[in-house]
Amino acid sequence: MIKIFHSSRDEVIRSSFSAAYADYKYALGNLLPLLNRFEQQRKIQGRKFYARLRKDILSGCIMPPITLAFVDKKMSSSTDADDLQKFANENISDGYVLDGMQRLNTLREASEDEDFDSSRPIYINIIVAERYDFLLYRMITLNNGQKPMTARHQIEMLTKGILDTEKLDIQIITEKETEKAKPHGAFRQGDVSEAYTAFLTDSVHNQNTKIIESKLDEILVGKVMDSKITESDISFHDVLLAVDHLSANQEARDWLRLGNNLIGFAVGAKESLASLTKYDPEKFASATAVFEKAFESINVSKVNVGKLRRELAMKFVAHIDDYIDTDADSLTEVFFEETMTD
């Protein structure tokens, strides 16, 4: 079992932090399986890459701690080592390995050697966060610079975690699932992931084919670190609940299903979440119809349509109280001013 010998509080991500240990046998039986919780995983490096660590494990080295994380609002505020130890052991199958994937796989390879000692200790840092957004922040600070997992890939992984654990009426499907059928009214998981990226970075512009992927990832990490996500009381799950609420109306759902609209919504909702959950779906649908009518007045040959739609959707959602009852002519004037300053 996991044994915790010290617990404290990480004030930056408002989470409990514990230093613990177990043995290799426990790690192989309980931590290694956690690497398969996501459909998309970081590619495992070749044996040659970690050959030195494998030899060191067999020689009796102490590996750097594995970082294990959980999401639980109640336990995130606890610093009681006994309570946290009980929680970690009882909920180990719900954990996430934020740091140490390669080490665990190397440990698995080393365990196949006849000289392997399964009783050796493995140290574990345990984080219990109140929501996934904070895990993502810590995940990026732990893994930034390591290859081949990018910050965008990490976000995709945690998006999958959110969708697996939260109950939503809207249907969210993967690209693979659309190969055989295209369920009417479903959201694409890739669009939800992009919306999550926008939410975390507080920016609707996170893709640029003119910049190489490594540099773009570096920029993305910088945006996340500067976005003050750990100071916000609004989580991405709150945004998804608002999407879920408004999607009760088919027209509103269809508007939100458009990737660029959803990205703009995810950022704008930070400013107007209370209002978005207050308005009934039909009223919001009527407002989006006005949005589309005003958007038709834009000369698409003169602008980057996707970029502008994200920007205008963000402004529209952020100031929904101002635009919920507006007419197309008035909203067109707003769009005109936005394009003049673009």
Side-chain angles (χ1 to χ4, degrees):
M1 64 180 292
I2 291 175
K3 296 181 180 180
I4 292 177
F5 55 86
H6 179 75
S7 295
S8 189
R9 175 86 175 159
D10 187 324
E11 298 295 349
V12 174
I13 57 173
R14 307 204 307 253
S15 306
S16 72
F17 178 91
S18 300
Y21 69 95
D23 56 29
Y24 286 162
K25 182 178 180 180
Y26 180 89
L28 292 168
N30 296 276
L31 301 185
L32 188 65
L34 299 182
L35 304 188
N36 299 319
R37 289 197 62 199
F38 300 102
E39 290 182 0
Q40 294 180 323
Q41 281 287 354
R42 185 199 302 191
K43 294 179 180 178
I44 304 305
Q45 299 281 9
R47 291 189 175 187
K48 185 177 180 180
F49 189 86
Y50 272 81
R52 179 69 261 173
L53 177 59
R54 180 180 180 277
K55 291 180 180 179
D56 286 349
I57 289 173
L58 295 174
S59 297
C61 79
I62 298 294
M63 288 195 297
I66 304 297
T67 301
L68 179 66
F70 299 89
V71 176
D72 187 280
K73 189 167 186 178
K74 180 181 178 181
M75 294 306 297
S76 68
S77 60
S78 176
T79 55
D80 186 286
D82 291 336
D83 288 346
L84 288 166
Q85 178 172 299
K86 181 180 179 182
F87 171 82
N89 283 293
E90 291 181 352
N91 296 276
I92 188 62
S93 61
D94 294 325
Y96 298 85
V97 176
L98 293 196
D99 189 50
M101 181 181 294
Q102 304 290 2
R103 273 163 275 156
L104 285 173
N105 274 285
T106 305
L107 181 66
R108 176 187 57 77
E109 292 190 356
S111 69
E112 298 170 357
D113 193 283
E114 61 180 10
D115 294 328
F116 178 74
D117 182 358
S118 63
S119 66
R120 292 284 301 171
I122 184 170
Y123 291 90
I124 309 164
N125 293 329
I126 301 174
I127 298 170
V128 184
E130 66 178 68
R131 64 185 202 234
Y132 284 90
D133 306 340
F134 294 166
L135 284 190
L136 190 282
Y137 180 90
R138 182 57 69 230
M139 194 175 192
I140 285 178
T141 59
L142 286 169
N143 291 322
N144 183 31
Q146 295 185 18
K147 302 298 179 184
M149 179 182 280
T150 65
R152 193 178 298 277
H153 190 175
Q154 293 171 46
I155 293 171
E156 290 173 358
M157 288 174 63
L158 282 188
T159 303
K160 180 61 167 59
I162 292 172
L163 302 182
D164 277 346
T165 58
E166 306 295 355
K167 303 298 182 182
L168 299 168
D169 290 331
I170 55 175
Q171 186 179 9
I172 302 173
I173 58 177
T174 64
E175 184 176 352
K176 184 176 181 180
E177 290 171 328
T178 65
E179 293 176 358
K180 296 182 179 180
K182 299 183 184 299
H184 180 70
F187 287 73
R188 295 193 307 167
Q189 185 175 312
D191 291 336
V192 176
S193 179
E194 289 295 335
Y196 191 15
T197 302
F199 174 85
L200 289 165
T201 59
D202 207 22
S203 170
V204 295
H205 306 306
N206 294 300
Q207 292 182 323
N208 191 328
T209 57
K210 296 178 182 179
I211 300 178
I212 61 174
E213 183 66 26
S214 60
K215 186 62 179 179
L216 190 63
D217 195 60
E218 182 181 325
I219 294 171
L220 177 60
V221 169
K223 286 183 178 181
V224 172
M225 304 302 288
D226 293 337
S227 67
K228 299 182 179 179
I229 189 69
T230 58
E231 298 175 19
S232 173
D233 292 325
I234 297 174
S235 71
F236 185 63
H237 178 53
D238 296 327
V239 174
L240 285 182
L241 288 176
V243 171
D244 196 39
H245 163 67
L246 297 171
S247 292
N249 177 277
Q250 182 177 335
E251 287 73 23
R253 183 175 68 245
D254 288 344
W255 189 84
L256 289 165
R257 286 176 58 235
L258 186 63
N260 287 323
N261 288 344
L262 186 62
I263 288 171
F265 184 94
V267 180
K270 289 183 174 183
E271 305 296 326
S272 60
L273 189 64
S275 294
L276 291 168
T277 55
K278 175 183 66 177
Y279 293 123
D280 63 69
E282 288 69 29
K283 192 172 185 66
F284 182 76
S286 296
T288 60
V290 173
F291 176 98
E292 290 303 319
K293 189 172 183 180
F295 196 82
E296 289 175 359
S297 66
I298 296 171
N299 186 342
V300 296
S301 66
K302 303 292 185 181
V303 298
N304 181 322
V305 179
K307 176 177 181 289
L308 186 60
R309 178 175 280 276
R310 293 192 296 272
E311 292 172 348
L312 295 179
M314 177 181 66
K315 183 178 181 66
F316 172 74
V317 172
H319 302 281
I320 191 65
D321 288 334
D322 297 330
Y323 304 136
I324 193 70
D325 291 314
T326 196
D327 56 54
D329 289 340
S330 298
L331 195 56
T332 299
E333 290 183 18
V334 174
F335 288 0
F336 176 77
E337 292 297 327
E338 288 296 310
T339 56
M340 288 295 289
T341 58
D342 186 34

